[in-house]
Amino acid sequence: MFCNWHNIEVRKVILNSRAMISTFIKLSLRKIWHDRSFSALSITGLSLATVSCTIIFLYVTYERSFDNFRSKNVYRVSYHGFQNNVETEGAAQSIPALAPALKQDIPVVKNAVRLAHTGPFMSDPVMEYGEKKFREGKIYYADDGFLSMFSYKMISGSVEKALSMPDQVAVSKTVAEKYFGKSDPIGKALTFYRGEIGAKQLIVTGVFEDVPMNSHLHTDFVISFTSLGMNLDNDWDWGNFYTYIEVQPGIDGVAVESQIPTLLNKYIGKYIAESAKAGYRIEFLLKPIQSIHLESKLWGELEVNGDLRTVNFLNTIAIFILLIAWINYLNFSIARSAENSKEISIRKINGSSRGQLIGQLLTDSAIINFFAVCISIAIIQVSLPVLKNMVGLPGAIALGWKNGLVLIMIFLVGTLCSGLYPALFISRLNPVALLKSKVPRSAMSLTLNKALIVFQFTATVILVIGTITVFLQLRFMRNKELGLDIEQTLIVKGPSVKDSTYQTTLSFFTNETKKLSGISSFALASSIPGQELHWGRSYSRKDDPQNSIGASIIAIDENFFNLFDARFIAGRNYPDGTSGWQDAIIINETAAKQLGYTDASHALDQIILWNENDNQTIPKRVIGVVNDFNQQSLRKQVGPIVFTLRKYIYAPWAGEFYVFKIKPSDLRASIGEIEHLWKDVYPQNPFDYFFLDEYFDAQYKNDDQFGKAFTIFSGLAIFISSLGLFGLTAYMTAMRTKEIGVRKVLGSSAFQLVRLLSAHYLMLVWIAFGIACPIAMYIMNTWLSQFAYHIPLSIWIFIGAGTFCFIVAMLTVGVKSWQSATMDPAKALKYE
């Protein structure tokens, strides 16, 4: 009997709750329709904020997902050099003997593998199968444990045996289809053209799934490490190899790092002791593979990495935008409550409890936020493809059901954050006071409203200062003189299929280029501007052999400097390419300074010792000092560079680029002339070309992407902030409607009333500006510190940002103030 009674009561409660919720929803929808202007402003602000936050979340999630599909126990070993305890060099690469030593001497190291790109051994190799021949860039040599350590998914072949023997190669699915079509590639032979080293046959022993986009390393070909034909297990000098280790489960990378000094003393203790006397020491540090993409900016990175600071900046923008939108809704709700005070008072007098009023007001907030989320989903689906093209967002970013949780969280938190305070505040007001007048000013917590507006515009000013700074820095990088003329410059990758007659063929090709009508000059170089330099040696003065410097090498011909219009600050260029200049070098200004020549002219005709290795030192004579130029982006400081004639040095690892200065008359025809000559002279080599200015600018792709995203989302934040200021102005003018009517009757002009209503809020904007300036200065100085060459953080940036925000605020406040100031005073005096 008791149970039946209890069940009946439970059902009554459920039915009453359903009826109450249904009533809340109906009343909320009625209010939304009745006050369409308020609802539209609220939904617009919340929708834009949700869109911005979700897209940023998708991008940040993607950036943080790199290598998450691989084992958490895999680390990369990087090299770091310190002079007098100050880090002077850091490289993602290390030495080939390190991996076998780590595996043998440190028990907690489960496996250690070496990885090497083809760059240190050959330039721009070509792969051939049958009539298909392509120049390939993503070719790596790797130890046989590499595929399993890096979690490769094999389609054909064994992950354990695919790289176990010399001359074996595993290829990606895309490459297998590219060369072999639908036939089974296992057991088939690829011809591997390696430039000056010659060609060899590689047997395909495995096919793996394409490496996902969110990886710091992408491979098309993985060749067995033993195919190099060198025993590098005891080579502690050659620094062009990547070392990865897998530790036992539960072991931290720090535990391995702490044992490496002992290992180094065992194998190269003499070198370490001698270096310590000179104040130099080396360290090998472990970086978890999942943190490489965002946290590593070392020399020799395998691919262009992301940037943790950029991700954190975007996270901050997303939080700012959401907070601004929620604050807007809060301000709108308070402004609206002044107009709905009678409804609230009547409902309280008729018996509505405070809980019911809170429930109704939270339902209002929930429905507004629900509409905003639904609209934002549609906007995201439409805007994502546009943003991918406009900003350059990764193609892998997409809104799916897995990302629904973030929208649910935005909805729930938004409902509570934007609706709870108005609900609690309004529900506790005295109904009698509400019937007699509007919501009293003292009760409206004006201090909170002012603080919220100050917060909104503090965030807005910071974003505006950031946007201006980013724009000016990007423009500075685009327009700064590099020291070389890279316009109208076409680059063709040098031939990889070569034989003993190559130098004769090259001379013939050079002479033939002079006959091409669209070409003004031609040169040869091992590296081009925009490319990281991987070839280097140590150098010292003959009169001071103990003090050496490390410098990069660029092998050129006698036409290189003239083609790029480089400026010599001392000495001269190679007059020709004859053997008389075989031992002559040209150095840049930085190299001259580091060698101790305070005046560049003092370096002329001096003998510099080229330290090829521990057993070979080659004397070279300096014939010229060229002005420093930016080999890479302005993020990098200009380093010391040594230039030598390419034809007199055997360096198969050095790149080879054919450089053409194109006349601006007809680019298409000029390229056609070059291609025709190329196919006649080098018929076995693909014709791969690109324009140098586009190649150089590609270094700024991530910066451009960040700048565009920063500008778009900052613009949305400014717009949403303006809505918030409009909401507060609407509230305050509603509070002072009768006062405005009285002032108009007493003779106040519309201009005087606008000034009266606006001055207070514009003062809040200036307060926000004062708070924002030091914060923005710190943030943007931190961002600019990434660049070796950057703009000064000028006071005009702050003045410009402040002026812009003041104008936006003045227009926003002025519109509502003008509407109130021009209202019929008779209506204003009747307003309650």
Coordinates of all heavy atoms in Angstrom, one line a residue, residues 49-91:
A49 N 31.2 33.4 -31.0 CA 32.1 33.0 -30.0 C 32.3 31.4 -30.1 O 33.4 30.9 -30.0 CB 31.7 33.4 -28.6
T50 N 31.2 30.7 -30.2 CA 31.2 29.3 -30.3 C 32.0 28.8 -31.5 O 32.8 27.9 -31.5 CB 29.8 28.7 -30.2 OG1 29.1 29.2 -29.1 CG2 29.8 27.2 -30.2
V51 N 31.7 29.4 -32.7 CA 32.4 29.1 -33.9 C 33.9 29.3 -33.7 O 34.7 28.4 -34.1 CB 31.8 30.0 -35.1 CG1 32.7 29.8 -36.3 CG2 30.4 29.6 -35.4
S52 N 34.3 30.5 -33.2 CA 35.7 30.8 -33.1 C 36.4 29.8 -32.1 O 37.4 29.2 -32.4 CB 35.9 32.2 -32.5 OG 35.2 33.1 -33.4
C53 N 35.7 29.6 -31.0 CA 36.3 28.7 -30.0 C 36.4 27.3 -30.5 O 37.5 26.6 -30.3 CB 35.5 28.7 -28.7 SG 36.1 27.7 -27.4
T54 N 35.4 26.8 -31.2 CA 35.4 25.4 -31.7 C 36.5 25.2 -32.8 O 37.2 24.2 -32.8 CB 34.0 25.0 -32.3 OG1 33.1 25.2 -31.3 CG2 34.0 23.6 -32.7
I55 N 36.6 26.2 -33.7 CA 37.6 26.1 -34.8 C 39.0 26.1 -34.2 O 39.9 25.3 -34.6 CB 37.4 27.2 -35.8 CG1 36.1 26.9 -36.6 CG2 38.6 27.2 -36.8 CD1 35.8 28.0 -37.6
I56 N 39.2 27.0 -33.2 CA 40.5 27.1 -32.5 C 40.8 25.8 -31.8 O 41.9 25.2 -31.8 CB 40.6 28.3 -31.6 CG1 40.6 29.6 -32.4 CG2 41.8 28.2 -30.7 CD1 40.5 30.8 -31.5
F57 N 39.7 25.2 -31.2 CA 39.9 24.0 -30.4 C 40.3 22.8 -31.4 O 41.2 22.0 -31.1 CB 38.6 23.6 -29.7 CG 38.5 22.2 -29.2 CD1 39.2 21.9 -28.0 CD2 37.9 21.2 -29.9 CE1 39.1 20.6 -27.5 CE2 37.9 19.9 -29.4 CZ 38.5 19.6 -28.2
L58 N 39.6 22.8 -32.6 CA 40.0 21.8 -33.6 C 41.4 21.9 -34.0 O 42.1 20.9 -34.2 CB 39.0 21.9 -34.8 CG 37.5 21.6 -34.5 CD1 36.7 21.9 -35.8 CD2 37.4 20.1 -34.1
Y59 N 41.9 23.1 -34.3 CA 43.2 23.3 -34.7 C 44.2 23.0 -33.6 O 45.2 22.3 -33.9 CB 43.4 24.8 -35.1 CG 44.9 25.1 -35.5 CD1 45.4 24.7 -36.6 CD2 45.6 25.9 -34.6 CE1 46.8 25.0 -36.9 CE2 47.0 26.2 -34.8 CZ 47.5 25.7 -36.0 OH 48.8 26.0 -36.3
V60 N 44.0 23.4 -32.4 CA 44.9 23.1 -31.3 C 44.9 21.6 -31.0 O 46.0 21.1 -30.7 CB 44.4 23.9 -30.0 CG1 45.2 23.4 -28.8 CG2 44.7 25.4 -30.2
T61 N 43.8 21.0 -31.1 CA 43.7 19.5 -30.8 C 44.5 18.8 -31.9 O 45.3 17.9 -31.6 CB 42.3 19.0 -30.9 OG1 41.5 19.7 -29.9 CG2 42.2 17.5 -30.7
Y62 N 44.4 19.3 -33.1 CA 45.2 18.7 -34.2 C 46.7 18.9 -33.9 O 47.5 17.9 -34.1 CB 44.8 19.3 -35.5 CG 45.7 18.9 -36.7 CD1 45.6 17.6 -37.3 CD2 46.7 19.7 -37.2 CE1 46.4 17.2 -38.3 CE2 47.6 19.3 -38.2 CZ 47.4 18.1 -38.8 OH 48.2 17.7 -39.8
E63 N 47.1 20.1 -33.6 CA 48.5 20.4 -33.3 C 49.1 19.6 -32.2 O 50.2 19.2 -32.2 CB 48.7 21.9 -33.1 CG 48.6 22.8 -34.3 CD 49.8 22.6 -35.2 OE1 50.9 22.9 -34.9 OE2 49.5 22.0 -36.4
R64 N 48.3 19.3 -31.2 CA 48.7 18.5 -30.0 C 48.6 17.0 -30.2 O 49.0 16.3 -29.4 CB 47.9 18.9 -28.8 CG 48.1 20.4 -28.3 CD 47.4 20.6 -27.0 NE 47.6 22.0 -26.5 CZ 48.6 22.4 -25.8 NH1 49.6 21.5 -25.5 NH2 48.7 23.6 -25.4
S65 N 48.1 16.6 -31.4 CA 47.9 15.2 -31.6 C 49.1 14.6 -32.3 O 49.1 13.4 -32.6 CB 46.6 15.0 -32.5 OG 46.8 15.4 -33.8
F66 N 50.1 15.4 -32.7 CA 51.2 14.8 -33.4 C 51.9 13.7 -32.7 O 52.3 13.8 -31.5 CB 52.2 15.9 -33.7 CG 51.9 16.7 -35.0 CD1 50.8 17.4 -35.1 CD2 52.8 16.6 -36.1 CE1 50.5 18.1 -36.3 CE2 52.5 17.3 -37.3 CZ 51.3 18.0 -37.4
D67 N 52.0 12.6 -33.5 CA 52.7 11.4 -33.0 C 52.1 10.7 -31.8 O 52.7 9.8 -31.2 CB 54.2 11.7 -32.7 CG 55.0 12.1 -33.9 OD1 55.2 11.4 -34.8 OD2 55.4 13.3 -33.9
N68 N 50.8 11.0 -31.6 CA 50.1 10.3 -30.5 C 49.8 8.9 -30.8 O 49.5 8.1 -29.9 CB 48.8 11.1 -30.2 CG 49.0 12.3 -29.3 OD1 50.1 12.5 -28.8 ND2 48.0 13.2 -29.2
F69 N 49.9 8.5 -32.1 CA 49.6 7.1 -32.5 C 50.8 6.3 -32.3 O 50.8 5.1 -32.5 CB 49.2 7.1 -33.9 CG 50.1 7.7 -34.9 CD1 51.1 6.9 -35.5 CD2 50.0 9.0 -35.2 CE1 52.0 7.5 -36.4 CE2 50.9 9.6 -36.1 CZ 51.9 8.9 -36.7
R70 N 51.9 6.9 -31.8 CA 53.2 6.1 -31.6 C 53.3 5.9 -30.1 O 52.7 6.5 -29.2 CB 54.4 6.9 -32.1 CG 54.3 6.9 -33.7 CD 55.5 7.6 -34.3 NE 55.5 7.4 -35.7 CZ 55.7 8.3 -36.6 NH1 55.8 9.6 -36.3 NH2 55.7 8.0 -37.9
S71 N 54.2 5.0 -29.7 CA 54.5 4.6 -28.3 C 54.9 5.8 -27.5 O 55.7 6.7 -28.0 CB 55.5 3.5 -28.2 OG 55.9 3.3 -26.9
K72 N 54.5 5.9 -26.3 CA 54.9 7.0 -25.4 C 56.3 6.8 -24.8 O 56.9 7.6 -24.2 CB 53.9 7.1 -24.2 CG 52.5 7.3 -24.5 CD 52.2 8.6 -25.2 CE 50.7 8.7 -25.5 NZ 50.4 10.0 -26.2
N73 N 56.8 5.6 -25.1 CA 58.2 5.3 -24.6 C 59.3 5.6 -25.6 O 60.5 5.3 -25.4 CB 58.3 3.8 -24.3 CG 57.3 3.4 -23.2 OD1 57.1 4.2 -22.2 ND2 56.6 2.2 -23.3
V74 N 59.0 6.3 -26.7 CA 60.0 6.6 -27.7 C 60.4 8.0 -27.6 O 59.6 9.0 -27.4 CB 59.4 6.4 -29.2 CG1 60.4 6.8 -30.2 CG2 59.0 5.0 -29.4
Y75 N 61.8 8.2 -27.6 CA 62.4 9.5 -27.5 C 63.4 9.8 -28.6 O 63.9 8.8 -29.1 CB 63.1 9.6 -26.1 CG 62.3 9.5 -24.9 CD1 61.9 8.3 -24.4 CD2 62.0 10.6 -24.2 CE1 61.1 8.2 -23.3 CE2 61.2 10.5 -23.0 CZ 60.8 9.3 -22.6 OH 60.0 9.2 -21.4
R76 N 63.5 11.0 -28.9 CA 64.6 11.4 -29.9 C 65.8 12.0 -29.1 O 65.5 12.8 -28.1 CB 64.1 12.4 -30.9 CG 65.2 12.7 -32.0 CD 64.7 13.8 -32.9 NE 64.6 15.1 -32.3 CZ 64.1 16.2 -32.8 NH1 63.6 16.2 -34.0 NH2 64.1 17.4 -32.1
V77 N 67.0 11.6 -29.4 CA 68.2 12.1 -28.8 C 68.7 13.3 -29.6 O 69.0 13.2 -30.8 CB 69.2 11.0 -28.6 CG1 70.4 11.5 -27.8 CG2 68.6 9.8 -28.0
S78 N 68.9 14.4 -28.9 CA 69.4 15.6 -29.6 C 70.7 16.1 -29.0 O 71.0 15.8 -27.9 CB 68.4 16.8 -29.5 OG 68.1 17.1 -28.2
Y79 N 71.5 16.8 -29.8 CA 72.8 17.2 -29.5 C 72.8 18.7 -29.0 O 72.2 19.5 -29.7 CB 73.8 17.0 -30.6 CG 75.1 17.7 -30.5 CD1 76.2 17.0 -29.8 CD2 75.4 19.0 -30.9 CE1 77.4 17.6 -29.7 CE2 76.6 19.6 -30.8 CZ 77.6 18.9 -30.2 OH 78.8 19.5 -30.0
H80 N 73.5 19.0 -27.9 CA 73.6 20.4 -27.4 C 75.0 20.7 -27.0 O 75.6 19.9 -26.3 CB 72.6 20.6 -26.3 CG 71.2 20.3 -26.6 ND1 70.3 21.3 -27.0 CD2 70.5 19.2 -26.7 CE1 69.1 20.8 -27.2 NE2 69.2 19.5 -27.1
G81 N 75.5 21.8 -27.5 CA 76.9 22.2 -27.1 C 76.8 23.5 -26.3 O 76.1 24.4 -26.5
F82 N 77.7 23.5 -25.3 CA 77.7 24.7 -24.3 C 79.2 25.2 -24.2 O 80.1 24.5 -24.1 CB 77.3 24.2 -22.9 CG 75.9 23.7 -22.9 CD1 75.6 22.4 -23.2 CD2 74.8 24.6 -22.5 CE1 74.3 21.9 -23.2 CE2 73.5 24.1 -22.4 CZ 73.2 22.8 -22.8
Q83 N 79.3 26.5 -24.4 CA 80.6 27.2 -24.2 C 80.5 28.1 -22.9 O 79.7 29.0 -22.9 CB 80.9 28.1 -25.4 CG 82.3 28.7 -25.3 CD 83.4 27.7 -25.5 OE1 83.4 26.8 -26.3 NE2 84.4 27.8 -24.6
N84 N 81.3 27.7 -21.9 CA 81.2 28.4 -20.6 C 79.8 28.4 -20.1 O 79.2 29.4 -19.6 CB 81.7 29.8 -20.8 CG 83.2 29.9 -21.2 OD1 84.0 29.0 -20.8 ND2 83.5 30.8 -22.0
N85 N 79.1 27.3 -20.2 CA 77.8 27.0 -19.7 C 76.7 27.8 -20.4 O 75.5 27.9 -19.9 CB 77.7 27.3 -18.2 CG 78.5 26.4 -17.3 OD1 78.6 25.2 -17.7 ND2 79.2 26.9 -16.3
V86 N 77.0 28.4 -21.5 CA 76.0 29.0 -22.4 C 75.8 28.2 -23.6 O 76.8 27.9 -24.3 CB 76.4 30.5 -22.8 CG1 75.4 31.1 -23.7 CG2 76.6 31.3 -21.5
E87 N 74.5 27.8 -23.9 CA 74.3 26.9 -25.1 C 74.6 27.7 -26.3 O 74.0 28.7 -26.6 CB 72.8 26.4 -25.1 CG 72.6 25.4 -26.2 CD 71.3 24.7 -26.1 OE1 70.6 24.9 -25.0 OE2 70.9 23.9 -27.0
T88 N 75.5 27.1 -27.1 CA 75.9 27.8 -28.4 C 75.4 27.1 -29.6 O 75.4 27.6 -30.7 CB 77.4 27.9 -28.5 OG1 78.0 26.6 -28.3 CG2 77.9 28.8 -27.4
E89 N 75.0 25.8 -29.5 CA 74.4 25.1 -30.6 C 73.5 23.9 -30.1 O 73.7 23.4 -29.0 CB 75.6 24.5 -31.4 CG 76.6 23.7 -30.7 CD 77.7 23.2 -31.5 OE1 77.5 23.1 -32.8 OE2 78.8 22.9 -31.0
G90 N 72.5 23.7 -30.9 CA 71.6 22.6 -30.6 C 71.1 22.0 -31.9 O 70.7 22.7 -32.8
A91 N 71.1 20.7 -32.0 CA 70.8 20.0 -33.2 C 69.9 18.8 -33.0 O 70.0 18.1 -32.0 CB 72.0 19.6 -34.0

